[in-house]
Amino acid sequence: MSIVTVQLGQCGNQIGFEVFDALLSDSHSSQGLCCKRENEAYQASCKERFFSEEENGVPIARAVLVDMEPKVISQTLSKAAQSGRWKYGQHACFCQKQGSGNNWAYGYSVHGPRHEESIMNLIRKEVEKCDSFSGFFIIMSMAGGTGSGIGAFVTQNLQDQYSNSLKMNQIIWPYGTGEVIVQNYNSILTLSHLYRSSDALLVHENDAVHKICAKLMNIKQISFSDINQVLAHQLGSVFQPTYSAESSFHYRRNPLGDLMEHLVPHPEFKMLSIRNVPHMSENSLAYSTFTWAGLLKHLRQMLISNAKMEEGIDWHVRPSLSGPSSLGKMSLNKDLHFNTSIANLVILRGKDVQSADVEGFKDPALYTSWLEPVNAFNVWKTQRAFSKYEKSAVLVSNSQFLVKPLDMIVGKAWNMFAS
Amino acid sequence: TCALWQLLFRVLSPLPAGNALASIALEVQARLVKSALCSQGYPRLALAQLPEDGSQGSRELLLALSWLLARGPVPEQMLAQTRVPLGDEMTVCQCEALASLGPPAPHMEAEGPVDVRHVQWLMGKLRFRWRQLVSSQQEQCALLSKIHLYTRGCHCDQNLGHLSVTEAEMLRDPEGGQKLLRTLEHESRRLEAVLAWRRAEPVFWQWMDTVLGTCAPEAPAAASQPTFLPWVPECGDGELELVVRELQTLEEELREAVERRRVAWEAKARGCGRGPEWSAARRAFRETVEKELGALQRCWEQDSGPAPAHGPHRLVRREDGAAGDRDLQAAELIRTLRSQEACLEAVLRQLQGQCRQELARLAGALPGLIWIPPPGR
């Protein structure tokens, strides 16, 4: 089933480009470690989900590009066309000449309603191209004016007009020391509005991804392009095809729906975060080998110790071994910064994936009292390797990862408001 | 006797699956037969007292079978359950959906205190499944529409004009077509069996009379148990005529009053203005009014009016809009369904309002409690 992506603002459009590029290059990769037939099925599934076909065979991304300035969109369009392997639809973008000045209200209350019809028309055309339509990705930043304000407005419209379709917002969490003065206001306004109209908020923290680029990838001068590529890699490892639960012969038809059903059915807990292992530069990759046991051990520790990446994990944090006394457990966990989860989804890709043991994630100590591991934890597997990594694992988690960052933003916004 | 229990079970069971039934134990089948007959109002107590191992009671079972046969067209109903559809079909009425719900599940007490967050979680999962179901149905409709469009002119039956999915599949896959043919032949044979039964039926009833004659009369309490008696309206012809005439005059008067009001309003509205906001507002008003009218109409028609057509209907796409007598038009159907929807939505809003009031009352009863309602939609 197909997903239509709405790319909003500078952030959304740049990231969107990297995502489509990563998805397509992975699907064409020759290092899939699987037979030809399987590779073809993988390719077909990926293509049907994210691209539509044109007569001359060049895949067209199922996307709508929206920005209030023309510069970023035209750059994005030409980068895609230059790749030669895919492109955006000719009439799939909407831009203006004015910009939003990082003003959330300008995006939400002025630009949004003014251009509502044009934007929704573009989206409708894209949806109509889909034979079977699953839902929307909305890629936007929280801190600016266009992405955040218009993003909130568009998501609300999608809720009204496509109430049965799924909506996942890919939200870019700004740097703690970001340059936009009102970024905390923008963020809070965005989150509060999205909480009512979106089904899932998949959060990508700039700080975390920046550290991955610096420490794991050893990039000296980190550009937005590097950051976006890491992000695209993470998203790709979640949404590329995986086997369905019933059989290893069919790829899952609706990963977006399955993911949402596993992780965000509760209306008050919609925020998700991503962690993945391993992540390194291509040079290092050539000299590394991995075992599932090692990867999963690291991933689990990243989860419970609230680590953003594989380096610098705090191994002292452990699930409490005391009995069912919840009060005692809570205070102990607070001291050790133990991250409790509501639900987790682990996706494994690569060689010998059937032998991977995920029992560590089924420990009841990791989860809340009202949802047992059998309901809270799910694992998806596929033999086909992702993007040159012989083995890779990604964790999508509905847990307390974002509590501290959220508290920080709310605190700063209050301070600014009260001053 | 065992065979009779199994036959009764097959007749009374709502599931058409053939093989699954064979694996159910005789005692279970017998128990289900007893409870199904009881819930349908079967009057003879002797059946309920029969042993469930199939050792005796063939006469009572025969009486039960003939009771069922007398109440409704059982062989035809069973044929309908297992018919092979050649066209793309959908049902209009809700009968099948309601029947497949079965008897209400017994009240199960939870083992301990239930965390409401877990219930909310489960509710959310249900909602997602529901939405995916709707998406899948939309997908199915889009594909059906494509197939019907592309195969225009391919069908030998001019009335239909295009192929259904099954028919297109037959062309694509000849082996599957052979299987379909065999299934149709089975169905044909069953149809002939039913026809043979109908021809020989009078003999059966003559015989059953004699069987009934040999039975001991049942206790008076059971015999006087009210079963399903047809309801006959009490009023005579003359009164009905009077009422009808009064209603007609009332309708005339109302129509005139409505017309006067409408003219006055339009004159007033014409001066109100143009512009996109106004037309959007007008559209919104019109939709709300249509919805409310539909709801009213539906509630009014619930006790009278023609019942919607039962059973499955074949989907046929036609450009010219011509329809036979027994055909249903999609536009008509959509209107009916929309008015039903409006009625149900009204009921839902009312119930939600009641819930909200109850919650507010409960919250108000606890001093010092701050009540934060969930973000509303």
Side-chain angles (χ1 to χ4, degrees):
Chain A
M1 296 180 89
S2 310
I3 296 177
V4 167
T5 303
V6 182
Q7 307 179 178
L8 293 157
Q10 171 183 349
C11 204
N13 279 296
Q14 288 172 338
I15 292 177
F17 165 76
E18 298 293 352
V19 172
F20 284 111
D21 204 50
L23 291 169
L24 200 65
S25 0
D26 168 59
S27 80
H28 282 304
S29 148
S30 55
Q31 293 163 300
L33 304 179
C34 61
C35 64
K36 179 161 170 237
R37 202 170 58 118
E38 165 130 24
N39 215 32
E40 282 172 2
Y42 186 87
Q43 256 180 35
S45 177
C46 165
K47 272 201 18 204
E48 191 252 343
R49 190 160 305 131
F50 292 105
F51 298 90
S52 57
E53 279 282 321
E54 204 177 62
E55 298 89 40
N56 57 6
V58 176
I60 303 184
R62 298 187 191 272
V64 172
L65 298 82
V66 177
D67 200 357
M68 294 297 113
E69 304 169 318
K71 189 174 82 166
V72 174
I73 285 195
S74 53
Q75 280 174 351
T76 310
L77 289 175
S78 59
K79 273 213 291 200
Q82 272 166 18
S83 75
R85 288 170 305 165
W86 65 280
K87 59 184 185 180
Y88 283 104
Q90 258 182 332
H91 304 289
C93 51
F94 175 84
C95 52
Q96 295 289 285
K97 301 247 187 353
Q98 323 150 264
S100 307
N102 287 325
N103 186 324
W104 189 90
Y106 209 69
Y108 183 79
S109 310
V110 177
H111 283 310
R114 191 180 287 167
H115 307 299
E116 179 183 348
E117 213 174 308
S118 318
I119 298 178
M120 295 311 287
N121 266 343
L122 284 181
I123 295 179
R124 189 175 42 86
K125 284 207 199 101
E126 204 55 52
V127 172
E128 281 171 2
K129 279 199 233 162
C130 304
D131 269 339
S132 91
F133 177 60
S134 152
F136 298 98
F137 275 170
I138 301 131
I139 312 185
M140 54 193 268
S141 76
M142 272 201 323
T146 300
S148 60
I150 300 190
F153 182 80
V154 167
T155 309
Q156 218 164 287
N157 267 38
L158 291 177
Q159 165 85 311
D160 291 331
Q161 294 190 23
Y162 298 93
S163 50
N164 284 315
S165 307
L166 307 168
K167 292 161 280 294
M168 174 177 272
N169 290 65
Q170 310 287 348
I171 302 184
I172 309 308
W173 201 270
Y175 285 108
T177 56
E179 335 83 59
V180 179
I181 303 238
V182 289
Q183 67 182 40
N184 298 309
Y185 287 163
N186 293 348
S187 304
I188 294 190
L189 288 165
T190 306
L191 283 174
S192 72
H193 276 78
L194 285 182
Y195 232 80
R196 296 180 192 211
S197 42
S198 178
D199 297 310
L201 308 177
L202 184 49
V203 173
H204 307 276
E205 295 174 76
N206 265 352
D207 284 312
V209 179
H210 192 103
K211 277 210 196 94
I212 292 182
C213 289
K215 301 274 173 61
L216 297 182
M217 316 266 297
N218 288 317
I219 302 176
K220 299 296 176 225
Q221 305 271 34
I222 300 176
S223 66
F224 273 131
S225 175
D226 298 313
I227 298 212
N228 295 343
Q229 281 170 5
V230 169
L231 231 145
H233 177 99
Q234 288 182 330
L235 272 179
S237 55
V238 174
F239 287 104
Q240 284 292 53
T242 49
Y243 294 139
S244 70
E246 295 82 41
S247 78
S248 319
F249 302 117
H250 296 294
Y251 282 114
R252 201 174 281 275
R253 284 205 78 217
N254 189 0
L256 187 58
D258 292 342
L259 185 149
M260 289 201 183
E261 198 189 314
H262 290 326
L263 295 175
V264 289
H266 198 293
E268 288 166 27
F269 301 106
K270 289 183 181 172
M271 303 223 305
L272 301 172
S273 35
I274 288 191
R275 298 286 184 271
N276 73 315
V277 291
H279 209 132
M280 52 188 60
S281 64
E282 232 176 279
N283 301 332
S284 315
L285 196 53
Y287 301 108
S288 314
T289 54
F290 311 101
T291 62
W292 284 117
L295 288 174
L296 289 170
K297 192 162 157 211
H298 280 231
L299 194 60
R300 179 177 183 270
Q301 195 61 24
M302 280 162 73
L303 169 64
I304 62 184
S305 68
N306 214 339
K308 315 279 185 174
M309 61 175 183
E310 208 177 343
E311 204 172 293
I313 300 177
D314 181 357
W315 288 94
H316 293 300
V317 180
R318 288 201 194 285
S320 77
L321 299 164
S322 57
S325 147
S326 56
L327 200 61
K329 177 170 159 182
M330 243 168 37
S331 57
L332 198 61
N333 287 340
K334 268 207 168 75
D335 293 335
L336 295 178
H337 310 294
F338 184 88
N339 180 34
T340 316
S341 308
I342 292 182
N344 288 313
L345 171 65
V346 166
I347 303 174
L348 306 173
R349 299 176 184 275
K351 192 166 159 205
D352 300 327
V353 76
Q354 297 308 330
S355 67
D357 174 17
V358 289
E359 284 310 305
F361 285 92
K362 298 185 187 171
D363 185 350
L366 269 55
Y367 299 98
T368 60
S369 55
W370 51 272
L371 200 62
E372 298 188 1
V374 65
N375 296 317
F377 177 69
N378 283 276
V379 58
W380 295 353
K381 296 182 183 175
T382 182
Q383 193 91 336
R384 210 275 193 181
F386 176 70
S387 185
K388 303 189 180 95
Y389 286 85
E390 179 197 75
K391 299 185 175 82
S392 62
V394 66
L395 163 71
V396 186
S397 176
N398 185 347
S399 66
Q400 297 173 312
F401 272 144
L402 293 160
V403 171
K404 241 187 20 202
L406 190 57
D407 280 341
M408 270 180 25
I409 285 194
V410 172
K412 285 191 196 165
W414 267 124
N415 288 340
M416 197 166 159
F417 191 65
S419 66
Chain B
T1 317
C2 299
L4 281 171
W5 278 119
Q6 284 168 336
L7 177 60
L8 281 169
F9 180 71
R10 179 64 188 85
V11 169
L12 291 164
S13 142
L15 311 155
N19 301 332
L21 297 184
S23 56
I24 302 182
L26 184 66
E27 289 81 31
V28 178
Q29 291 192 23
R31 227 171 302 141
L32 286 168
V33 166
K34 283 186 187 176
S35 86
L37 281 172
C38 182
S39 70
Q40 292 201 25
Y42 185 63
R44 288 183 70 86
L45 287 180
L47 184 112
Q49 292 159 355
L50 283 180
E52 287 160 8
D53 55 6
S55 54
Q56 45 161 281
S58 53
R59 186 174 57 192
E60 284 300 328
L61 293 174
L62 204 50
L63 285 174
L65 181 64
S66 54
W67 186 79
L68 287 170
L69 287 171
R71 293 181 87 219
V74 168
E76 284 82 356
Q77 279 168 349
M78 293 178 76
L79 271 183
Q81 264 181 357
T82 53
R83 56 185 275 279
V84 179
L86 280 179
D88 301 313
E89 300 186 339
M90 62 167 276
T91 44
V92 178
C93 60
Q94 303 290 317
C95 307
E96 216 178 87
L98 292 172
S100 68
L101 286 175
H107 243 309
M108 292 223 308
E109 286 301 316
E111 283 110 31
V114 172
D115 197 317
V116 70
R117 289 169 293 186
H118 187 65
V119 176
Q120 285 176 304
W121 181 267
L122 293 172
M123 188 70 194
K125 283 181 97 122
L126 261 179
R127 281 208 185 95
F128 274 128
R129 293 277 176 98
W130 174 259
R131 287 159 77 181
Q132 287 186 42
L133 179 62
V134 174
S135 291
S136 299
Q137 282 184 334
Q138 284 176 331
E139 183 185 352
Q140 188 190 32
C141 287
L143 292 173
L144 275 181
S145 182
K146 266 195 184 164
I147 292 179
H148 292 184
L149 203 59
Y150 290 169
T151 60
R152 261 178 318 184
C154 293
H155 208 285
C156 48
D157 181 347
Q158 297 286 16
N159 277 337
L160 295 171
H162 63 74
L163 301 179
S164 70
V165 171
T166 319
E167 290 161 345
E169 221 15 58
M170 263 202 298
L171 289 180
R172 232 172 45 96
D173 171 28
E175 217 180 87
Q178 288 296 328
K179 242 177 64 174
L180 185 62
L181 185 62
R182 281 193 292 272
T183 327
L184 285 171
E185 284 170 357
H186 276 262
E187 193 179 342
S188 215
R189 282 198 287 275
R190 278 184 301 206
L191 198 55
E192 285 172 5
V194 171
L195 288 173
W197 157 256
R198 285 294 172 206
R199 282 191 294 264
E201 213 180 334
V203 179
F204 174 75
W205 291 116
Q206 281 178 342
W207 176 54
M208 282 315 296
D209 271 337
T210 62
V211 171
L212 194 56
T214 64
C215 283
E218 282 253 300
S224 66
Q225 205 176 60
T227 47
F228 298 91
L229 294 170
W231 175 77
V232 177
E234 281 301 316
C235 56
D237 268 333
E239 290 180 17
L240 208 53
E241 279 263 343
L242 202 59
V243 171
V244 165
R245 245 174 297 143
E246 278 185 20
L247 280 175
Q248 279 174 340
T249 350
L250 189 56
E251 191 187 0
E252 257 313 310
E253 287 177 11
L254 281 173
R255 200 177 297 145
E256 286 172 19
V258 163
E259 197 47 50
R260 270 177 299 201
R261 286 232 185 139
R262 186 197 304 274
V263 167
W265 182 86
E266 270 187 357
K268 202 165 131 197
R270 215 161 284 139
C272 269
R274 311 296 151 98
E277 301 100 41
W278 174 241
S279 61
R282 261 185 80 157
R283 221 182 313 137
F285 287 151
R286 189 176 300 139
E287 280 171 8
T288 341
V289 170
E290 271 177 359
K291 261 198 191 160
E292 292 207 26
L293 267 180
L296 276 171
Q297 229 171 346
R298 174 90 188 118
C299 296
W300 183 253
E301 281 172 356
Q302 223 153 20
D303 299 320
S304 61
H310 285 277
H313 292 258
R314 180 171 176 150
L315 294 168
V316 176
R317 185 196 183 104
R318 257 207 261 273
E319 304 298 318
D320 51 16
D325 289 324
R326 295 175 53 222
D327 295 348
L328 296 170
Q329 301 251 17
E332 183 81 33
L333 234 58
I334 292 175
R335 231 172 309 160
T336 319
L337 287 170
R338 282 228 173 97
S339 71
Q340 287 178 359
E341 182 189 16
C343 201
L344 288 170
E345 264 183 21
V347 174
L348 176 66
R349 274 196 298 271
Q350 190 192 32
L351 289 171
Q352 282 176 333
Q354 282 176 3
C355 270
R356 233 172 272 133
Q357 278 178 351
E358 179 65 14
L359 280 172
R361 187 188 67 82
L362 288 170
L366 292 166
L369 176 71
I370 300 178
W371 170 241
I372 307 177
R377 252 208 181 250

